[in-house]
């Protein structure tokens, strides 16, 4: 009898492990749609002479993030949860030569979990990518994308997503859907770079008024944005933990249901579309509002009543175009509104959780409950985690003269100047 019980227990454990592997495997696959979406979105948002370069830039960022995350990104997440002083023992499993980082050497699950985090990292680089199209030098962009995707956001995740992260344990920071961890960090990283990169030639007139540089293919932009939405269901799936029982938990090991993620994501998605459309009647902002709506509810997806998620998304959809105009008046040329869609909507989502989920018990014994001050502190810290490296490193590149392509290359078009090809055969005639 004891042997049968032991065998049954082993079989159940194996089933749990296999189910977990399969779940995260498909999260990875669905998340790749995010990058198909960003590819279409950014190529369509570019003018014709820059469109291919925008696509190549996006693909290369994805490719460079994968090995750099493997070599040091995962170690940062495991080792840096207490701040800037690493816990070498905790980080040991993230060293590239550790057994856990080799297939079939330690366990079956680590590889797919790391794969999910790699796709999170690549998402941050793609967020930044769209803001700087049509004038950034390809090599400098890749360096900046690695800094963001394999260092900056992961440092924020170690602090505010790790169950023992100091923002969570000391301030009660709550953000299972990564409104701050991914979107605030990447949005404000982009802002830091944009300040030094400067506007595209012809964006602003001598009196400071802005010209509208419309996408060359708005249908492609809309399709790309919808693909990003598809991919975000894989992204949010990667933000939950399956324990092999009837209970799911969030990234902090707190109980949740997939129903809460499903209902609230859909409601915030719809709210963001409607809010942006009511304010602008512009299809571009309508679909950008869909993204911003999700980010507006992401910090409390596990807690909200669905109509509240709809309202938060609606507000986020209305905030985005207003924030875009504000930055434009400051002379910031954000080609796709990434700072507003990700940075501002994400920050609103972080604060909203502190308002509407205040008092909810948090992860660790002795940690504060969810509260507004904790969300505010977390949001500001994550803003700085993105903005400071983005600004400082791009400033150094600017001083060295390597951040931006020469004016003649920008006038010619980056497709020819940097890639050596054109997007459409008609350009050659």
């Amino acid at each position: 009898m004891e042997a049968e019980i032991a065998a049954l227990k082993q079989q159940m454990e194996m089933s749990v492990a296999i189910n977990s592997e399969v779940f995260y495997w498909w999260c990875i696959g669905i998340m790749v749609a995010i990058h198909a979406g960003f590819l279409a979105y950014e190529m369509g948002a570019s003018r014709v002479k820059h469109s291919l370069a925008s696509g190549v830039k996006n693909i290369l960022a994805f490719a460079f993030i994968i090995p750099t995350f493997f070599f040091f990104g995962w170690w940062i997440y495991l080792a840096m949860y207490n701040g800037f002083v690493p816990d070498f023992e905790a980080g040991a499993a993230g060293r590239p030569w550790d057994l856990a980082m080799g297939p079939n050497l330690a366990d079956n699950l680590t590889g797919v979990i790391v794969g999910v985090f790699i796709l999170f990292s690549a998402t941050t680089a793609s967020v930044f990518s769209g803001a700087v199209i049509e004038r950034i030098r390809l090599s400098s962009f890749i360096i900046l994308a690695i800094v963001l995707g394999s260092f900056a956001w992961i440092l924020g995740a170690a602090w505010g997503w790790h169950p023992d992260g100091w923002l969570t344990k000391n301030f009660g920071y709550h953000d299972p859907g990564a409104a701050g961890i991914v979107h605030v960090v990447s949005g404000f990283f982009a802002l830091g770079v944009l300040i030094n990169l400067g506007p595209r030639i012809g964006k602003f007139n001598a009196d400071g008024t802005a010209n509208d540089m419309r996408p060359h293919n708005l249908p492609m932009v809309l399709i790309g944005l919808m693909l990003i939405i598809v991919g975000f269901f894989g992204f949010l799936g990667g933000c939950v933990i399956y324990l092999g029982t009837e209970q799911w938990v969030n990234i902090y090991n707190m109980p949740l249901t997939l129903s809460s993620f499903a209902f609230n994501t859909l409601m915030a998605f719809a709210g963001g579309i409607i809010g942006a459309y009511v304010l602008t009647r512009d299809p571009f902002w309508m679909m950008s509002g869909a993204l911003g709506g999700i980010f507006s509810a992401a910090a409390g997806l596990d807690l909200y009543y669905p109509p509240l998620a709809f309202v938060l998304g609606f507000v986020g959809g209305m905030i985005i175009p207003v924030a875009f105009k504000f930055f434009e008046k400051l002379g910031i040329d954000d080609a796709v509104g990434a700072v507003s869609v990700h940075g501002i909507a994400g920050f609103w989502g972080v604060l909203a959780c502190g308002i509407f989920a205040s008092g909810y018990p948090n992860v660790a014994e002795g940690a504060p409950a969810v509260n507004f001050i904790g969300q505010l502190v977390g949001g500001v810290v994550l803003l700085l985690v993105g903005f400071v490296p983005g600004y400082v490193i791009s400033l150094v590149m600017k001083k060295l003269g390597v951040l931006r392509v020469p004016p003649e290359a920008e006038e010619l078009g980056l497709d020819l100047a940097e890639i050596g090809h054109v997007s459409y055969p008609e350009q050659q005639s």
Side-chain angles (χ1 to χ4, degrees):
M1 178 65 72
E2 291 182 3
E4 292 176 357
I5 293 174
L8 181 60
K9 182 178 179 181
Q10 183 179 17
Q11 185 177 7
M12 291 178 63
E13 289 174 351
M14 184 177 297
S15 176
V16 168
I18 291 172
N19 288 339
S20 296
E21 288 177 63
V22 170
F23 176 79
Y24 294 111
W25 169 271
W26 286 114
C27 285
I28 293 170
I30 297 169
M31 287 169 75
V32 173
I34 293 175
H35 303 284
F38 271 116
L39 189 66
Y41 171 37
E42 293 176 24
M43 288 194 295
S46 300
R47 287 169 291 174
V48 171
K49 63 183 179 180
H50 303 296
S51 55
L52 187 62
S54 295
V56 169
K57 175 168 55 63
N58 211 296
I59 294 168
L60 285 175
F62 194 0
F64 274 94
I65 290 297
I66 294 170
T68 54
F69 184 94
F70 179 86
F71 285 120
F72 55 84
W74 187 235
W75 182 88
I76 292 171
Y77 179 73
L78 297 180
M80 302 298 289
Y81 60 91
N82 263 328
F84 287 104
V85 178
D87 182 334
F88 289 101
E89 183 178 351
R95 298 174 304 189
W97 56 85
D98 190 84
L99 290 180
M101 301 297 280
N104 303 319
L105 295 178
D107 63 74
N108 296 328
L109 188 57
T110 295
V112 284
I113 294 294
V114 171
V116 168
F117 268 76
I118 286 173
L119 269 294
F120 292 152
S121 297
T123 298
T124 65
S126 291
V127 169
F128 157 61
S129 176
V132 297
I133 56 175
E134 300 193 344
R135 72 273 204 201
I136 196 168
R137 194 181 294 267
L138 181 60
S139 55
S140 297
F141 166 77
I142 291 171
I143 293 170
L144 289 163
I146 291 170
V147 170
L148 171 59
S150 291
F151 173 73
W153 96 269
I154 303 169
L155 194 63
W159 294 351
W161 234 19
H162 193 291
D164 293 321
W166 68 270
L167 282 176
T168 298
K169 294 196 77 170
N170 296 334
F171 291 94
Y173 182 73
H174 188 82
D175 187 14
I181 301 300
V182 167
H183 301 290
V184 169
V185 172
S186 54
F188 282 93
F189 184 95
L191 178 61
V193 175
L194 286 169
I195 291 171
N196 292 311
L197 183 63
R200 291 167 288 178
I201 294 173
K203 174 63 180 177
F204 294 106
N205 300 311
D207 61 359
T209 56
N211 294 308
D212 189 12
M213 292 181 165
R214 300 294 294 174
H216 92 275
N217 191 329
L218 186 56
M220 184 186 290
V221 171
L222 300 185
I223 291 169
L225 285 165
M226 185 59 83
L227 273 175
I228 295 171
I229 299 295
V230 173
F232 260 97
F233 279 87
F235 180 105
L236 294 171
C239 295
V240 303
I241 300 172
Y242 172 65
L243 297 178
T245 65
E246 295 180 358
Q247 184 64 65
W248 295 75
V249 298
N250 64 22
I251 198 76
Y252 309 107
N253 294 319
M254 299 166 64
L256 63 75
T257 66
L258 287 184
S259 290
S260 65
F261 266 50
F263 272 124
N264 289 328
T265 300
L266 290 170
M267 290 290 271
F269 160 74
I273 290 176
I274 294 170
Y277 188 70
V278 165
L279 189 66
T280 69
R281 297 296 193 273
D282 186 328
F284 174 82
W285 289 116
M286 177 187 78
M287 287 308 303
S288 295
L291 285 175
I294 293 175
F295 310 152
S296 297
L301 281 175
D302 56 333
L303 305 177
Y304 293 146
Y305 180 54
L308 174 59
F310 177 86
V311 171
L312 296 180
F314 183 89
V315 173
M318 298 191 79
I319 287 173
I320 289 167
V322 174
F324 176 81
K325 289 294 184 183
F326 170 77
F327 286 117
E328 197 172 61
K329 288 180 179 178
L330 295 178
I332 302 296
D333 180 14
D334 179 359
V336 298
V339 178
S340 303
V341 173
H342 297 269
I344 299 300
F347 196 85
W348 153 240
V350 168
L351 295 184
C353 186
I355 297 169
F356 296 103
S358 183
Y360 190 82
N362 223 318
V363 52
E365 185 177 351
V370 178
N371 64 94
F372 180 78
I373 298 300
Q375 295 300 106
L376 176 62
V377 169
V380 171
V381 167
L382 294 168
L383 184 157
L384 294 174
V385 165
F387 180 82
V388 172
Y391 179 81
V392 171
I393 297 172
S394 64
L395 178 61
V396 172
M397 289 177 168
K398 179 182 178 181
K399 297 294 184 184
L400 294 174
V402 298
L403 179 61
R404 185 169 178 149
V405 299
E408 55 271 21
E410 186 176 346
E411 293 280 15
L412 175 66
L414 298 190
D415 286 5
L416 284 173
E418 287 220 317
I419 309 302
H421 295 276
V422 293
S423 300
Y424 302 101
E426 292 81 1
Q427 291 175 263
Q428 296 175 325
S429 59

